[in-house]
Amino acid sequence: MLLFLMASGLTIIFSMMGVLNFAHASFYMLGAFFGFEISRRIGFWPGLVLAPLLVGLIGVAVERYGLRRVHRHGHVAELLFTFGLTFVIQEVVEMVWGKLPVDYRVPPSLDFPAFTIFATNYPAFKLFELLTALAIFAALLVVVTRTRIGLVVQAALTHPAMVAMLGHNVDRIFMLVFGVGAALAAVAGVIAGPALVTQSNMAALLGPILFVVVVIGGLGSLPGAFLASLLIGLVQTFAVASNASLADLLGPLAAGSGSSFLRDIWNVTVAQVAPIIPYLLLVLILIFRPRGLMGQRES
């Protein structure tokens, strides 16, 4: 669900603006650090509201004074701009908060077991993460597909001149969409901060897997991003917990292999290769279904 909270903002930005934002994970990191600062002063719940608003305003400023100026030069310029922005944001975070992890904790109001399954307590904070992600998914799906706002925004991407003739400010629409995408990433940061480690390299740790989710689900597809997030999360979880290997599967055939190199390969467990499994899935998707699980074929 945390993967989806991050991927949703990136998907919204790409589907409505055609911009693949490399700095999206950096907005997620800003949300975590802003949430930490606000929570230690006035509490977690105000931080959950204020931090995304602040990051959304930063996103609006980035689009208005940066991305809009390089948009006329094509997608390569946009990618280079957002790629450089990731390093700028990371350096600023390190100057303000340092490189060591900060003490961002679960709020006391959610620091208790929600229920117990087979003698295992399920934390209330994780249940809160789950419900928040589901609520955001439902709200985004309704706004994008069932409201006039979503219709205008999608039309602005494919027919900007016609939308402008109908009296809508296309530049303002794109600016607000980028701000909403950055704010969604910040929501993920505020929620993930207490559950994970809040530090200056957290964007670099989750950034690559974020693009894996978006590509597997299908660029621009919100249901695809949701499905791919569940798929990647389940695959990684079960892979880490599995000690099976090719030697277990092949049995006597693996034991009889003469090469020590082959014996080493046979004995590699699924848990040892778990970190690369999502990227293997990415390669397979790009080979056999480039548009992703639920992406649309370009005409």
Side-chain angles (χ1 to χ4, degrees):
M1 290 297 98
L2 287 176
L3 284 176
F4 170 72
L5 279 177
M6 291 182 62
S8 61
L10 184 59
T11 301
I12 291 295
I13 291 173
F14 183 84
S15 63
M16 298 184 181
M17 298 179 62
V19 176
L20 195 58
N21 179 21
F22 274 113
H24 194 73
S26 298
F27 292 128
Y28 153 79
M29 178 174 64
L30 283 179
F33 278 99
F34 285 179
F36 161 71
E37 282 294 331
I38 296 173
S39 66
R40 72 174 186 172
R41 286 173 167 79
I42 57 176
F44 172 80
W45 299 108
L48 183 60
V49 176
L50 296 177
L53 289 177
L54 292 175
V55 177
L57 291 175
I58 294 175
V60 166
V62 167
E63 197 285 331
R64 174 63 182 85
Y65 299 105
L67 197 57
R68 187 180 302 181
R69 296 178 183 271
V70 302
H71 180 70
R72 65 176 70 97
H73 301 295
H75 293 303
V76 174
E78 293 172 345
L79 291 176
L80 291 175
F81 173 79
T82 57
F83 186 69
L85 186 61
T86 60
F87 294 98
V88 174
I89 293 177
Q90 181 171 348
E91 291 298 326
V92 171
V93 167
E94 289 181 354
M95 285 190 293
V96 176
W97 288 281
K99 295 185 178 181
L100 297 178
V102 297
D103 188 21
Y104 192 10
R105 299 184 180 183
V106 174
S109 57
L110 292 175
D111 192 13
F112 62 91
F115 52 85
T116 302
I117 298 180
F118 299 114
T120 300
N121 294 327
Y122 192 86
F125 190 75
K126 287 190 176 183
L127 182 63
F128 168 71
E129 295 174 6
L130 175 69
L131 296 177
T132 301
L134 291 175
I136 289 177
F137 172 64
L140 288 176
L141 203 59
V142 170
V143 170
V144 172
T145 61
R146 294 288 186 269
T147 65
R148 180 178 176 83
I149 295 175
L151 179 65
V152 170
V153 171
Q154 292 184 79
L157 174 61
T158 55
H159 300 84
M162 181 63 70
V163 173
M165 290 179 185
L166 292 174
H168 300 285
N169 189 326
V170 176
D171 289 337
R172 183 178 298 171
I173 291 173
F174 285 170
M175 181 177 66
L176 293 177
V177 167
F178 195 89
V180 169
L184 287 174
V187 171
V190 175
I191 295 177
L196 305 176
V197 179
T198 302
Q199 55 188 3
S200 61
N201 66 340
M202 61 190 302
L205 293 176
L206 287 181
I209 196 67
L210 171 63
F211 285 96
V212 171
V213 169
V214 173
V215 173
I216 290 179
L219 288 173
S221 172
L222 196 61
F226 184 80
L227 181 61
S229 299
L230 292 177
L231 175 64
I232 295 299
L234 290 173
V235 166
Q236 283 192 310
T237 300
F238 283 105
V240 169
S242 175
N243 288 321
S245 64
L246 287 175
D248 299 328
L249 179 64
L250 298 177
L253 180 62
S257 59
S259 172
S260 60
F261 175 73
L262 287 178
R263 282 198 299 270
D264 291 339
I265 293 178
W266 301 144
N267 292 314
V268 172
T269 64
V270 176
Q272 290 175 304
V273 298
I276 68 171
I277 290 179
Y279 302 98
L280 292 176
L281 290 176
L282 172 64
V283 172
L284 294 175
I285 284 289
L286 290 175
I287 292 174
F288 297 106
R289 192 179 174 87
R291 66 180 182 273
L293 296 177
M294 302 187 68
Q296 300 295 323
R297 184 184 298 273
E298 292 186 2
S299 58

